[in-house]
Amino acid sequence: MSAVCGVCPRGCTLDEGQTGFCRARVNRGGRIVADNYGRLTALALDPIEKKPLQQFHPGSLILSAGSYGCNLRCPFCQNSDISMADATVPYTEVSPQQLVTQALSLTSRGNIGLAFTYNEPIVGLEYVCDAAALAHEAGLQTVLVSNGYCTDATLDRLLPLIDAANIDLKGFTPSFYEWVGGMLGPVQNTIRRMAGACHVEVTTLVIPGRNDSDAAMEAEAAWLASLNPELPLHLSRFFPRYRMAGSPPTPTETLHRLRDVAKQHLRTVYLGNL
């Protein structure tokens, strides 16, 4: 029996046993489930600023967990070894309760909770929701680091369970999102809804010749400011990765120029990967 995945706007129709575009969700018995449930490929105690979140419990640490899979195909992906991987990648089975127990054991070292990051956490929605619910019961903070490419139904499940999020706003034109395999509108919707429900910061990885025009940055910053001029924006420097391994890194002067453009609308603009 075929079934449609409703986690992201791609809406993959999958036959029994078939895996979706994200490489992480599969049809089992007519239901779409997270094949990557509890399968962690990365686990580390990171500074909160690495997410990046500059205005959410600054100076603290957070236990950060990732699995495999992603629902976009960014040629510049910075974590392609896991985000573009499938179930053949090495992983460790960690239940939601085990993850929360580990997070609690690290509070003496400054850990404030759990961050779902590294790959795209939305494609493992069930695991994120189960672990986040247990984390809240234990008094821990929860953070989502995501491309924001999801449906309203997914947000309905996530929003009550997430305390802070950093959303990747890849660019601000439909053509840029076509290039990475998605659409701009759903990401705007995610940012809009999350900004009204939890602490949100936004990151744009600046790719030379792709999303580094003053016009695109001014439009992006003006739109973000229409939600909240206090919303922090991170402009991050691109380094050659994945299918763009032969491309030059972003000139630092470009980041400084775009920060000046964005600050015409937003109070706080951070530069990253300098």
Side-chain angles (χ1 to χ4, degrees):
M1 179 186 301
S2 65
V4 178
C5 182
V7 165
C8 89
R10 197 170 297 281
C12 292
T13 299
L14 306 176
D15 293 329
E16 174 65 31
Q18 187 177 8
T19 301
F21 178 88
C22 66
R23 302 190 176 107
R25 302 189 66 76
V26 66
N27 182 339
R28 288 187 184 148
R31 293 180 59 246
I32 308 297
V33 298
D35 190 51
N36 66 351
Y37 190 99
R39 297 175 172 180
L40 299 189
T41 61
L43 186 64
L45 187 61
D46 287 336
I48 194 76
E49 289 82 4
K50 190 177 176 181
K51 298 306 97 191
L53 290 171
Q54 289 285 348
Q55 297 184 16
F56 184 76
H57 297 274
S60 63
L61 301 174
I62 191 158
L63 184 62
S64 302
S67 183
Y68 59 82
C70 184
N71 56 353
L72 293 180
R73 288 292 181 270
C74 302
F76 48 83
C77 182
Q78 307 288 287
N79 289 315
S80 60
D81 55 332
I82 58 174
S83 62
M84 298 298 139
D86 56 21
T88 62
V89 71
Y91 60 79
T92 301
E93 294 275 1
V94 181
S95 72
Q97 186 59 66
Q98 288 172 325
L99 186 62
V100 171
T101 298
Q102 185 165 350
L104 287 169
S105 74
L106 293 168
T107 56
S108 61
R109 292 177 53 187
N111 180 44
I112 62 168
L114 287 175
F116 305 96
T117 180
Y118 301 135
N119 75 307
E120 175 48 55
I122 283 173
V123 301
L125 177 65
E126 295 86 346
Y127 184 77
V128 171
C129 289
D130 290 349
L134 290 174
H136 273 182
E137 290 175 11
L140 296 170
Q141 300 290 314
T142 57
V143 167
L144 186 78
V145 182
S146 170
N147 62 31
Y149 197 57
C150 64
T151 61
D152 275 316
T154 294
L155 288 171
D156 289 342
R157 293 183 63 180
L158 277 173
L159 289 180
L161 301 170
I162 299 299
D163 297 302
N166 186 291
I167 303 299
D168 285 330
L169 183 53
K170 306 288 185 179
F172 208 67
T173 61
S175 61
F176 191 92
Y177 267 91
E178 288 174 11
W179 182 49
V180 301
M183 297 178 290
L184 173 59
V187 182
Q188 289 181 283
N189 181 60
T190 294
I191 295 171
R192 183 185 301 110
R193 288 194 60 186
M194 283 197 154
C198 66
H199 177 83
V200 173
E201 302 186 22
V202 170
T203 295
T204 297
L205 183 69
V206 179
I207 313 294
R210 289 288 185 171
N211 62 352
D212 59 349
S213 74
D214 289 7
M217 181 50 57
E218 181 161 15
E220 175 179 325
W223 179 77
L224 291 171
S226 74
L227 303 179
N228 183 357
E230 303 289 338
L231 193 155
L233 173 63
H234 299 256
L235 301 180
S236 189
R237 189 183 186 200
F238 160 80
F239 285 97
R241 294 287 190 278
Y242 194 39
R243 294 176 180 167
M244 295 186 69
S247 301
T250 312
T252 56
E253 311 84 67
T254 299
L255 291 180
H256 287 283
R257 187 191 81 240
L258 294 181
R259 178 176 62 183
D260 291 343
V261 172
K263 289 196 74 173
Q264 296 176 39
H265 301 279
L266 297 168
R267 185 174 300 276
T268 308
V269 181
Y270 299 99
L271 301 185
N273 286 350
L274 294 180

